[in-house]
């Protein structure tokens, strides 16, 4: 999501295709610094999703137990 679609404001509107491009093996069209930023933003997105999911599950624990 971060690398292919540039869907985070801190990186901006960038789009990099999958690694199966014509650039050759081991080459990437972005700097190591940008790679680190993309990695960080991906980790932030995963952490936010985890916290949101955990909150929803805890808030609805009684419903989950009833279903199970």
């Amino acid at each position: 999501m971060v690398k292919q679609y540039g869907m985070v404001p801190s990186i901006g509107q960038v789009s990099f295709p999958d690694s199966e491009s014509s650039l050759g093996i081991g080459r990437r069209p972005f700097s190591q610094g940008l790679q680190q930023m993309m990695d960080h933003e991906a980790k932030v997105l995963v952490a936010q999703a985890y916290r949101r999911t955990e909150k929803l599950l805890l808030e609805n624990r009684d419903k989950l137990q009833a279903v199970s």
Side-chain angles (χ1 to χ4, degrees):
M1 185 172 119
V2 174
K3 179 182 159 201
Q4 277 193 296
Y5 305 111
M7 298 179 76
V8 289
S10 64
I11 294 177
Q13 301 297 317
V14 296
S15 178
F16 299 106
D18 281 336
S19 59
E20 297 179 16
S21 65
S22 61
L23 294 175
I25 297 173
R27 299 203 57 198
R28 59 178 185 237
F30 45 84
S31 68
Q32 186 175 1
L34 184 55
Q35 176 68 54
Q36 290 174 347
M37 287 176 62
M38 290 188 290
D39 290 345
H40 172 74
E41 290 299 330
K43 288 178 186 179
V44 168
L45 287 171
V46 170
Q48 288 172 345
Y50 181 88
R51 285 192 302 271
R52 181 170 181 243
T53 302
E54 185 178 43
K55 180 182 174 200
L56 286 169
L57 291 172
L58 290 173
E59 288 174 353
N60 296 290
R61 179 177 278 185
D62 56 335
K63 296 171 188 158
L64 287 169
Q65 289 174 343
V67 169
S68 66

